[in-house]
Amino acid sequence: MTSRDDILQAVRSTKLAARELPSLAGPWIAYDDRWGQFEAALRSVGGRFERLTSTVDATTRLADHPAFPRASKIASLLPDLVAGNVDLQRIDDPHRLEDVDFAIMPGQFAVAENAAVWVTHHGVKHRALWFIVQHLVLVVQATQIIDNMHQAYERIHDLDSGFGVFISGPSKTADIEQSLVMGAHGPRSLTVLVYP
Amino acid sequence: MSHAAKHAADHATLATEFIRDPKRAKWHDDTLWFVRTKRDRAAAQLPEWEELRQRASQIKAHTMSHLADYLEQFAERAEGLGAQVHWAKDAAEHNQIVLAILQRHQVTRLVKSKSMLTEECHLNPFLERHGITVVDSDLGERIVQLAGEPPSHIVLPAIHKKKEDVAQIFHRHLHTEPGASDPSYLTEAARQHLRSHFLAAEAGLTGVNFAIAESGGFVVCTNEGNADLGVSLPRLHIACMGIEKLIPRAADLGVFLRLLARSATGQPITTYSSHFHGPLPGGELHLVLVDNGRSNLLRSEEFRRSLYCIRCGACMNTCPVYRRSGGHSYQSTVPGPIGSILSPAFQIETHKSLPFACSLCGSCTDVCPVKIDLHHQLLTWRREINHRGLLPRSKRWAMKLTSAIMQRTRLYRWAGWIARHVVPWLPRFAIYHRWNAWGRQRELPEFPRRSFRELFERRNDK
C-alpha cells in the first residue's frame, strides 16, 4: 500500500456523523461610503490613497510621492495612465526586476472592509513584480469596490486559472518588539489610485 | 537548531527560568497583552464577529466529517492543474520527500517562509545534514534561526527577543553597527541580507494556510511578502501542509480570511493572501500532504476539535500562563493552550506537564476563531494523564489525600478546624517549605475564625 492509501484509510476508519456545511449567506457588514471606509482601512495599514478626478492627472498625483520623482526605473502595465520606461516583455528572467523602483499595475476590485485589492496573473508576465519592486501602485476603477470578503469570492470565478493575491498595504513586519516597520521584503510603499 | 524536546524538563521548571528576570517577564506579558487588545478592537468592528466564528467552526466540523473525500478531491484537482502531490505518513517521510525533490533539481540553496509543519518535522536540520542551505525568510524566524533557537510563538517567532538581543545577533551575523537597535535600521539590514538570499535561491518552500478542495489550490498568508518572493523567483515551489488544512469551497475563505489576521494581530487582513493554483509557467509545484499523527487525533472524540486550529496564535496572546512563562517553556513546536492539547497527543511522555500549565480561566476558548473548547480539552487531558498513571508522585499523593478528606465529613471538619486554629500559629518554616509549591510566590489567605457551618448554626440559635 502506498502512503496515500494508508493515510486515506486511516482517515476513513474514523466514522464521524456527517455535519452539515453551513451556508455563507449574510447579513455581512456593508458601508454607506465604501471608498471612505477603504481609504480609512488603507491608511491604517500604511497605504496611500489617491482619488483621481480624471485619468490625466495620475502622474501629477504620483509626483507627491516622496520616492516617485527620484525613481529611475518604472514598469507600467497601464502606460496610458502612467508612462513607464521598463519593457517587461523583453525581460525573461524575473531576477532582473530587482532594481525596478516603481510598478504601476491594475487591480481588479477593492474590498472596503480591509483595504485589500484583488490582482491576478492575467496580463502579468512575472509574478515576482508585485513583490520585488521598491514601490507598488495599484490602479482600480471607482466602480470596482465591494463591501466585504464574501462578496469578493462571489466575484472571483477564474480562481483555478493561475495566481491571484489580495494585497492590503505595503509589505510590513512587527517582528522586532512589535514595532511596525514598512518594507520588510516587498514594496516599501503601496499606493491605490482610483480613477473614474 | 534542534528542539530541546530531548530532555524532558517540565513546564514549571522552565517557566521558573523565564521569570527569573521579572522585568523581562513583565515586558513579555505586556507585549502579548497589547496584541490581544488589538485583536479585541478588530473583532469589535464587525457586528457579525460571533457569527463568523460559528460558521468557521461549522465548516471545520463538516470538513473533518468528510476529510478523506475532500483530500482526494483536492489532490485530484491539484494534479489536474499540474501540481505534483505527495503523501507523507510521518515527519521522516515528509523530510525524505522534500529532500528527494531538491536533490533531483540539484538544489543547494532553499528559502522558506513560515511553516509550523516543517518545524514539527525538524526539516531544517535534516536538510542541512544533507548539504542544503536553508534560509528562513520570515524576519522573526530568521532572527531565531540565526540565534540557533526554535520559534517561541507561531505568529511572532521572536517575540521573546528584545531589540537589543536582535542588535547583537545581527551584529554578529549581518555585521550591523554594534549596539544599533533601532527596529527600522535592523529591518532594513535584514531586507538587504535576505534579498540576496531570495535572488540566489534555487527553490522556495512555503506552508499552507488553507487548501481548497473544490479548486485544488491553496492560500498562503504573510505580511512581509516573503512567501511570494521566495516562490516567484525560482522555478521550483514546494508547499507542505498538514491534512487538516482543507476547506471545501473557495468561498469559505471569505469566512477564514476575515477571522485569521484579526484574531492573530488585529489587522483586518494580512498584507498578502496569495492564491496558488498550479505551478509558475515553466516551473514545478510540489504539494506534500502530511499526516504525522493527525489521523490518530481525528479518531479521538475528546481531542478531534483541536484539528480545527488555523494557527492564529490568539490563544497564546491571551493566555495568562503563556504570557508569563514564554513559548520556550512549552518545549513544543506549537506552544500555548493549543500546543498543550496537540503536543501530548503526539508524545504524551515528553509533554505530560503541559495540560497543567493552565489556570482553566477559559480565555483561550473565548478568543478562538474556530471555537475550539480549549480549556475543556486541557481538563480532559489532565484526567487522561492521571488515568495513565503519568502524574508526578507529589500530585498523585496530594490528590489522594484531598479526596480521602473530602469523602469523610468528620475528617473534613477536623482538617478545617486545624486550618483555622492551628495553622495561623505555626512558624513560617512549617508552612513555606520546599513541598509547598503553591506557597513559593504566594502567601496563604487569612483563615476565617469560624467555618461556614459554625456561622450557620449560630444564626439559627438567634
Side-chain angles (χ1 to χ4, degrees), chain A residues 3 6 19 113 164 171 175 186, chain B residues 62 89 93 140 191 224 275:
Chain A
S3 293
D6 283 344
R19 301 281 291 273
E113 70 159 310
S171 159
D175 273 344
Chain B
H62 166 84
K89 277 190 280 194
E93 191 175 9
R191 177 184 173 99
E224 300 181 6
H275 299 53

Side-chain angles (χ1 to χ4, degrees), chain A residues 16-27:
Chain A
L16 295 178
R19 301 281 291 273
E20 209 175 315
L21 188 58
S23 129
L24 297 173

Side-chain angles (χ1 to χ4, degrees), chain A residues 43-94:
Chain A
R43 291 195 193 284
S44 81
V45 296
R48 300 165 62 92
F49 184 80
E50 297 283 355
R51 199 161 186 168
L52 309 181
T53 43
S54 80
T55 51
V56 189
D57 63 352
T59 312
T60 10
R61 290 296 185 90
L62 280 178
D64 293 342
H65 192 296
F68 191 73
R70 289 183 282 115
S72 57
K73 286 200 166 187
I74 299 168
S76 180
L77 292 174
L78 298 150
D80 297 340
L81 209 62
V82 181
N85 57 13
V86 176
D87 185 357
L88 291 168
Q89 290 314 313
R90 294 185 55 177
I91 293 178
D92 287 322
D93 180 0

Side-chain angles (χ1 to χ4, degrees), chain B residues 84 86 94-95 97-103 105 107 110-113 115 118 123 127 202-208 218 220 227 230-231 234-241 284-289:
Chain B
Q84 299 181 41
H86 310 262
H94 162 267
N95 292 351
I97 291 169
V98 175
L99 178 65
I101 300 167
L102 294 175
Q103 285 179 336
H105 290 266
V107 171
L110 173 73
V111 284
K112 268 178 68 202
S113 67
S115 152
T118 59
L123 178 69
L127 291 180
E202 297 144 329
L205 187 147
T206 67
V208 168
F218 59 94
V220 180
V231 299
R235 298 262 151 223
L236 178 59
H237 178 181
I238 304 172
C240 302
M241 57 176 272
E284 271 185 35
L285 171 63
H286 293 262
L287 272 157
V288 190
L289 274 55

Side-chain angles (χ1 to χ4, degrees), chain B residues 175-388:
Chain B
H175 312 297
T176 51
E177 294 295 317
S181 65
D182 174 53
S184 301
Y185 169 78
L186 294 171
T187 303
E188 181 63 30
R191 177 184 173 99
Q192 300 305 338
H193 156 75
L194 283 165
R195 243 191 201 227
S196 65
H197 286 288
F198 282 122
L199 291 166
E202 297 144 329
L205 187 147
T206 67
V208 168
N209 287 94
F210 305 99
I212 312 155
E214 72 171 3
S215 69
F218 59 94
V219 174
V220 180
C221 304
T222 76
N223 281 321
E224 300 181 6
N226 55 314
D228 292 287
L229 260 183
V231 299
S232 59
L233 291 170
R235 298 262 151 223
L236 178 59
H237 178 181
I238 304 172
C240 302
M241 57 176 272
I243 53 172
E244 83 284 16
K245 293 284 172 194
L246 264 283
I247 54 170
R249 308 165 289 198
D252 295 323
L253 290 165
V255 174
F256 289 106
L257 292 187
R258 297 187 79 194
L259 286 165
L260 179 62
R262 287 182 173 100
S263 297
T265 58
Q267 294 168 258
I269 189 169
T270 49
T271 303
Y272 304 102
S273 311
S274 304
H275 299 53
F276 296 91
H277 285 81
L280 273 175
E284 271 185 35
L285 171 63
H286 293 262
L287 272 157
V288 190
L289 274 55
V290 185
D291 183 339
N292 204 31
R294 287 161 177 77
S295 57
N296 272 331
L297 203 52
L298 186 69
R299 210 162 284 150
S300 152
E301 178 65 37
E302 288 87 3
F303 304 118
R304 179 179 306 140
R305 288 175 306 282
S306 60
L307 290 171
Y308 297 2
C309 176
I310 58 171
R311 303 288 191 270
C312 71
C315 62
M316 290 157 214
N317 304 339
T318 200
C319 176
V321 178
Y322 175 89
R323 283 188 277 120
R324 289 169 178 83
S325 61
H328 287 160
S329 64
Y330 291 80
Q331 301 271 295
S332 70
T333 309
V334 180
I338 184 66
S340 303
I341 298 168
L342 294 172
S343 301
F346 296 130
Q347 244 180 337
I348 182 70
E349 190 56 52
T350 323
H351 301 296
K352 63 187 179 192
S353 72
L354 296 188
F356 297 89
C358 165
S359 66
L360 297 177
C361 73
S363 183
C364 47
T365 306
D366 286 343
V367 298
C368 177
V370 288
K371 293 198 143 185
I372 302 171
D373 51 342
L374 290 142
H375 72 292
H376 291 287
Q377 294 193 31
L378 286 166
L379 186 60
T380 309
W381 257 128
R382 294 186 187 184
R383 199 179 310 133
E384 182 68 27
I385 286 163
N386 183 33
H387 280 325
R388 296 196 202 174

Side-chain angles (χ1 to χ4, degrees), chain A residues 1-4 6-29 31 41 44-45 92-95 97-99 113-116 118 125-134 136 148-150 153-154 156 159-188, chain B residues 27 31 35 38 45-48 51-52 55 58-59 61-62 64-69 71-72 81 87-89 93 137-140 143 156-157 159 161-164 166 183-184 186-188 191-192 194-195 198-199 215 223-224 226 228-229 232-233 235 243 248-255 257-258 262 268-280 291 295 298-299 304:
Chain A
M1 285 235 303
T2 63
S3 293
R4 176 186 187 275
D6 283 344
I7 293 170
L8 288 173
Q9 194 183 39
V11 171
R12 275 222 168 85
S13 72
T14 305
K15 295 269 177 278
L16 295 178
R19 301 281 291 273
E20 209 175 315
L21 188 58
S23 129
L24 297 173
W28 309 120
I29 202 162
Y31 304 93
S44 81
V45 296
D92 287 322
D93 180 0
H95 292 82
L97 300 169
E98 207 260 321
D99 58 353
E113 70 159 310
N114 56 16
W118 175 247
K125 189 173 170 189
H126 296 295
R127 200 191 274 180
L129 194 58
W130 289 290
F131 312 104
I132 201 168
V133 297
Q134 299 295 317
L136 179 63
N148 57 54
M149 291 298 285
H150 309 286
Y153 285 100
E154 283 167 22
I156 302 171
L159 202 55
D160 58 2
S161 75
F163 180 74
V165 52
F166 285 106
I167 299 179
S168 171
S171 159
K172 63 176 83 63
T173 181
D175 273 344
I176 300 174
E177 279 199 15
Q178 281 294 294
S179 300
L180 189 63
V181 181
M182 300 299 165
H185 301 294
R188 299 168 189 273
Chain B
W27 166 79
T31 307
V35 183
K38 286 199 292 184
Q45 279 171 16
L46 291 183
E48 63 257 37
E51 185 60 34
L52 283 171
R55 303 275 179 106
Q58 288 168 344
I59 294 167
H62 166 84
M64 291 308 150
S65 69
H66 296 80
L67 189 58
D69 297 338
L71 282 167
E72 279 184 315
L81 295 169
W87 302 74
K89 277 190 280 194
E93 191 175 9
S137 60
D138 172 84
L139 176 57
I143 293 169
L156 318 159
I159 193 70
K161 294 274 182 220
K162 301 201 75 158
K163 59 185 183 208
E164 290 78 15
V166 181
S184 301
L186 294 171
T187 303
E188 181 63 30
R191 177 184 173 99
Q192 300 305 338
L194 283 165
R195 243 191 201 227
F198 282 122
L199 291 166
S215 69
N223 281 321
E224 300 181 6
N226 55 314
D228 292 287
L229 260 183
S232 59
L233 291 170
R235 298 262 151 223
I243 53 172
R249 308 165 289 198
D252 295 323
L253 290 165
V255 174
L257 292 187
R258 297 187 79 194
R262 287 182 173 100
I269 189 169
T270 49
T271 303
Y272 304 102
S273 311
S274 304
H275 299 53
F276 296 91
H277 285 81
L280 273 175
D291 183 339
S295 57
L298 186 69
R299 210 162 284 150
R304 179 179 306 140

